[in-house]
């Protein structure tokens, strides 16, 4: 490659002096500079390759060979892709197929369409990219055994990998994994001589396959692919493409750590996650700009594993580094979640005031993110407000906890207006947080409606039986406390109203602790205040309750008021 670059002035001079011989010679040399055919050869910088591709286009625009001009435009699209100029790359790929009089081979057409798909991916136009990727796959399928000179124009495994990648971006993970598996099978069957031309495709496919299997919850299968993927990202490729290979290593190890954690191997997961962080640090040392997002991703995995192991000090260290990275990357949504994680760790270690401070920082960052993109970030803000209310309660800032809890409930209710099913359970949970804050502030009468509304939201939903029982139990405790407070203050009428609510709750639940608390509260109220019986009878027109437990078939014990 270096020799061709050094000798480039020779064919340039020949093209000027003897165009008939020199122009084809210069075209071949420039093509080699853009897409060298020697494997394991460290490629020249993207800017150099783009410059040679543009020189090649200029060379053939001055001639009368439309076929070579079309090929040159495709190489220009490739150079623009390497330079991250995706809009121009898409235009060049389209121009390659629109040259008047050009007769593109199936391989050349497939190459141009494949480049267009990759450019559209870079622009985030995934639906269009999917269509082009499918077209590229079909073109390459029609040439099962490309000739030696055509191998530089791409291959079926590369097109399949692009197809699978786009499907993943469109959240069609199951289809994406199926294509990755087809591609991996094809790569395993390739002869060594042919596989030399797909050396970067193979590690990408295997690493992304592991990630897809993890996303589908197929953890054991992902771990089974792990050894092959590990082998693919090691070896001489690190010398020729260190930025790509180190990123793939970090991504693979992070996914494997997540899978090990999911199958109940947290110690193995920690070792793998720490290895992933080490690879990401190597990448950052060489390429800080592209490496920092990878380091952030694997630090997030490590923090999750450390949390599972209850290694809160180590988790806190990882989260603090992660917060610095997200600040530098201007990733407010992820920064807000990380600050909330720091607050959680501090709370578990007993430092509630520091936890509250970090929670406030998390909410501040989440507000900023919600202002930029409300649709994506308001749900996060509602969640972090609820978390902050809990932390304010733990640090005895009850008034602030009530205000924050009310804001969390109000925002969640507004989100539920657009998607009641998604937010029904969340609304109930945040009502419970607000109710707890109100109880801590001594506002038991205001806490009761929150519990009752949460109960109504949870009733009838699947997988919420435990939450419903807990809500009813907390509601009963709050009602009991409120009744005693009213009686102590001489507010008999208010005490009767609370007792009626407690009795109604008891009649609609099977919770033994609720029944016992109801019986105890009625008995203690009667003992503490002789006027409660008369007040009850005046308000209800019925005798003050005595309780007899009866068996309700299929539901357990339930007290009946007589």
């Amino acid at each position: 490659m270096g020799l061709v670059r050094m000798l480039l002035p020779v064919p340039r001079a020949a093209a000027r002096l003897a165009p008939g011989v020199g122009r084809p010679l210069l075209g071949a040399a420039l093509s080699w500079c853009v897409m060298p055919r020697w494997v394991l050869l460290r490629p020249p910088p993207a800017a150099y390759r783009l410059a040679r591709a543009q020189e090649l286009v200029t060379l053939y625009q001055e001639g009368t060979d439309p076929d070579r001009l079309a090929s040159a435009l495709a190489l220009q699209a490739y150079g623009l892709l390497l330079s991250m100029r995706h809009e121009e790359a898409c235009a060049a790929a389209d121009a390659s197929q629109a040259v008047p009089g050009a007769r593109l081979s199936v391989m050349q057409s497939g190459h141009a369409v494949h480049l267009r798909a990759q450019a559209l991916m870079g622009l985030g136009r995934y639906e269009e990219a999917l269509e082009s990727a499918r077209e590229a796959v079909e073109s390459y399928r029609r040439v099962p055994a490309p000739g030696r000179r055509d191998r530089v124009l791409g291959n079926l495994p590369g097109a399949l990998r692009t197809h699978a990648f786009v499907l993943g971006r469109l959240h069609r993970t199951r289809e994406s994994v199926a294509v990755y598996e087809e591609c991996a099978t094809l790569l395993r069957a390739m002869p060594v001589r042919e596989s030399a031309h797909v050396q970067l495709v193979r590690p990408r496919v295997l690493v992304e396959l592991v990630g897809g299997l993890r996303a589908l919850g197929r953890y054991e299968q992902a771990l089974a692919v792990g050894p092959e993927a590990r082998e693919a990202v090691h070896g001489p490729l690190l010398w020729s493409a260190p930025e790509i290979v180190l990123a793939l290593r970090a991504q693979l190890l992070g996914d494997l750590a997540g899978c090990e954690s999911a199958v109940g191997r947290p110690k193995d997961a920690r070792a793998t996650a720490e290895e992933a962080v080490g690879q990401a640090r190597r990448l950052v040392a060489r390429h800080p700009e592209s490496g920092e997002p990878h380091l952030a991703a694997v630090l997030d995995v490590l923090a999750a594993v450390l949390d599972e192991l209850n290694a809160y000090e180590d988790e806190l260290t990882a989260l603090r580094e992660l917060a610095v990275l997200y600040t530098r990357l201007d990733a407010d949504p992820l920064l807000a979640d990380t600050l909330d994680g720091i607050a959680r760790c501090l709370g578990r270690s007993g430092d509630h005031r520091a936890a509250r401070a970090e929670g406030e920082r998390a909410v501040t960052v989440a507000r900023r993110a919600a202002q930029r993109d409300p649709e994506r970030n308001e749900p996060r803000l509602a969640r972090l407000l609820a978390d902050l209310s809990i932390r304010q309660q733990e640090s005895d800032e009850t008034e602030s906890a009530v205000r924050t809890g009310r804001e969390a409930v109000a925002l969640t209710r507004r989100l539920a207006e657009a998607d009641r099913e998604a937010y029904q359970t969340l609304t109930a949970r945040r009502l419970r947080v607000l109710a707890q804050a109100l109880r801590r502030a001594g506002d038991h009468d205001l806490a009761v409606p929150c519990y009752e509304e949460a109960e109504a939201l949870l009733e009838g939903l699947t997988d919420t039986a435990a939450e419903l029982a807990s809500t009813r139990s907390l509601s009963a405790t709050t009602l009991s406390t409120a009744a005693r407070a009213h009686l102590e203050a001489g507010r008999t009428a208010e005490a009767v109203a609370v007792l009626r609510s407690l009795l109604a709750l008891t009649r609609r639940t099977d919770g033994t602790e609720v029944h016992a608390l109801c019986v105890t509260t009625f008995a203690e109220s009667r003992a503490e205040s002789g006027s409660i019986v008369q007040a009850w009878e005046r308000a209800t027109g019925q005798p003050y309750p005595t309780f007899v437990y009866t068996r309700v078939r299929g539901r357990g014990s339930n007290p009946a008021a007589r």
Side-chain angles (χ1 to χ4, degrees), residues 86-107:
H86 299 109
E87 192 77 54
E88 296 169 81
C90 188
D94 289 340
S96 171
Q97 295 187 289
V99 175
R103 295 169 298 177
L104 296 178
S105 68
V106 175
M107 283 292 292

Side-chain angles (χ1 to χ4, degrees), residues 161-224:
R161 183 258 169 179
T162 299
H163 185 201
F165 188 87
V166 176
L167 286 168
R169 288 289 183 173
L170 291 170
H171 307 292
R172 296 165 61 173
T173 312
R174 197 170 302 279
E175 296 171 74
S176 173
V177 166
V179 177
Y180 276 127
E181 288 177 326
E182 178 190 355
C183 189
T185 300
L186 183 64
L187 287 166
R188 293 181 188 115
M190 289 184 74
V192 175
R193 186 173 181 180
E194 290 185 28
S195 65
H197 296 275
V198 291
Q199 288 193 85
L200 277 177
V201 175
R202 179 171 175 261
R204 281 172 166 156
V205 166
L206 292 171
V207 170
E208 289 160 11
L209 173 58
V210 169
L213 290 168
R214 179 192 175 194
L216 291 176
R218 293 159 58 180
Y219 305 117
E220 294 290 358
Q221 289 174 269
L223 291 170

Side-chain angles (χ1 to χ4, degrees), residues 257-312:
C259 292
E260 287 168 338
S261 177
V263 299
R265 290 155 49 186
K267 291 183 179 179
D268 292 341
R270 177 173 184 169
T272 306
E274 288 173 344
E275 186 182 356
V277 170
Q279 293 296 325
R281 292 195 195 287
R282 290 180 64 189
L283 177 60
V284 169
R286 296 189 181 200
H287 306 280
E289 187 174 345
S290 63
E292 286 187 342
H294 291 282
L295 177 57
V298 295
L299 277 171
D300 187 58
V301 173
L302 176 60
V305 172
L306 292 169
D307 186 70
E308 186 180 358
L309 290 167
N310 298 326
Y312 300 130

